Amino acid sequence: RIGLLGIFPPTTTEGMRLGFLETLLGVLEEQGLRLEEGFTLVGRYSEGESERFPDLAKDLLVEAPDLLIAHGSGATYALQQATQTLPIVMVGVSDPQIIEAIATKASSNVTGISSQLRDQNEPQLRLLKEIVPRAIRVAVVHNPNDPISALSLKSAEETAKTLGLTIEPVAIKDDGDAHTSMMMVAARRPDAVQVHSTPMVFPHLARIARITTNLGIPTIGGNRAFAEDGLLISYAPSVEGLWKQAGVM
């Protein structure tokens, strides 16, 4: 029995766009494991609300899984805190060093794949600067309540200094912030916009793309889904690739 602690259910728009479950099941089937024949899968999902992970992790353990899969940093940290014995495979963790630093103690039951979100800041901003040489002011859409997004903002500010850029933070902490934040972008008219790969932002990508496109503001974000929703550029590790690697661990 496999327990999956994730961000969005695979049946939602966001979950289907990521395509993680289909990819994972495909890799397992290649190894002779078929759903409901070789194993069962039990999932719990935060719906983009990271604060729910601790309770969801405890609820998932009630299902008595033999193996746990954690999608993202918040899910990994919650499962680390919930069990030090069950094996945990983490997928798409933004910065494992940060997870280790905030964990109460080292955990030897965790392995997996990192997306290294913080390492994407420099190439994303450099790419923006190459495409828009005149760019000076870059709005960064982030979630200050997401620890990795907050750290990535600091990383972007450090990188910006070397490129002659000025970072203008635009926060989306909850769904109610999305409209106000994008109206702020429209009023400020930055030269470019960087959008963080944080769950709270995912449902609003199409709106962000529509507003910035109408204003003629170039945008860059994470994986391919960002470009599919209308952002100009996407630059990040392949989500499909991350889940394929996780499936063979």
Side-chain angles (χ1 to χ4, degrees):
R1 178 179 287 237
I2 298 176
L4 171 62
L5 185 58
I7 302 170
F8 294 108
T11 53
T12 63
T13 300
E14 291 80 10
M16 286 188 288
R17 184 172 52 198
L18 291 173
F20 65 90
L21 184 58
E22 181 180 351
T23 300
L24 177 63
L25 294 179
V27 174
L28 292 176
E29 186 169 335
E30 289 175 1
Q31 301 176 72
L33 295 172
R34 293 177 179 270
L35 184 62
E36 303 302 339
E37 294 180 11
F39 69 97
T40 56
L41 183 67
V42 181
R44 297 291 185 273
Y45 306 95
S46 70
E47 302 279 2
E49 299 175 9
S50 300
E51 64 274 11
R52 296 180 58 200
F53 276 130
D55 288 338
L56 290 172
K58 294 175 183 177
D59 186 47
L60 186 57
L61 291 181
V62 174
E63 300 288 342
D66 303 297
L67 170 71
L68 294 164
I69 299 176
H71 186 191
S73 302
T76 300
Y77 179 64
L79 287 177
Q80 275 186 320
Q81 298 304 296
T83 177
Q84 283 76 51
T85 55
L86 288 175
I88 301 170
V89 177
M90 61 181 186
V91 186
V93 173
S94 302
D95 193 333
Q97 292 181 345
I98 297 300
I99 296 298
E100 182 179 356
I102 61 178
T104 55
K105 60 182 179 180
S107 177
S108 60
N109 62 319
V110 182
T111 186
I113 309 296
S114 168
S115 59
Q116 291 295 334
L117 177 63
R118 292 179 65 194
D119 290 347
Q120 296 169 29
N121 275 305
E122 182 174 354
Q124 283 189 3
L125 292 175
R126 286 190 182 279
L127 191 55
L128 267 181
K129 189 66 173 177
E130 289 180 17
I131 294 174
V132 192
R134 62 174 175 77
I136 296 176
R137 297 164 49 238
V138 178
V140 176
V141 180
H142 71 294
N143 177 9
N145 292 339
D146 179 340
I148 300 301
S149 183
L151 287 168
S152 293
L153 177 63
K154 292 182 180 179
S155 175
E157 290 171 339
E158 294 170 2
T159 298
K161 295 175 184 178
T162 68
L163 299 174
L165 300 172
T166 300
I167 298 298
E168 299 182 357
V170 177
I172 296 183
K173 301 185 294 295
D174 53 50
D175 289 332
D177 279 346
H179 177 74
T180 302
S181 296
M182 293 318 299
M183 289 303 98
M184 187 185 303
V185 170
R188 292 179 179 177
R189 294 292 182 100
D191 301 314
V193 174
Q194 180 192 42
V195 183
H196 277 185
S197 296
T198 178
M200 186 54 65
V201 170
F202 294 162
H204 307 291
L205 287 176
R207 176 188 292 181
I208 293 171
R210 183 172 62 253
I211 292 173
T212 52
T213 298
N214 289 340
L215 294 172
I217 301 174
T219 51
I220 191 167
N223 59 63
R224 186 174 61 185
F226 284 69
E228 290 173 345
D229 267 339
L231 269 66
L232 177 63
I233 312 165
S234 67
Y235 184 96
S238 164
V239 173
E240 182 181 6
L242 293 173
W243 281 95
K244 282 184 176 180
Q245 291 182 64
V248 299
M249 292 188 119

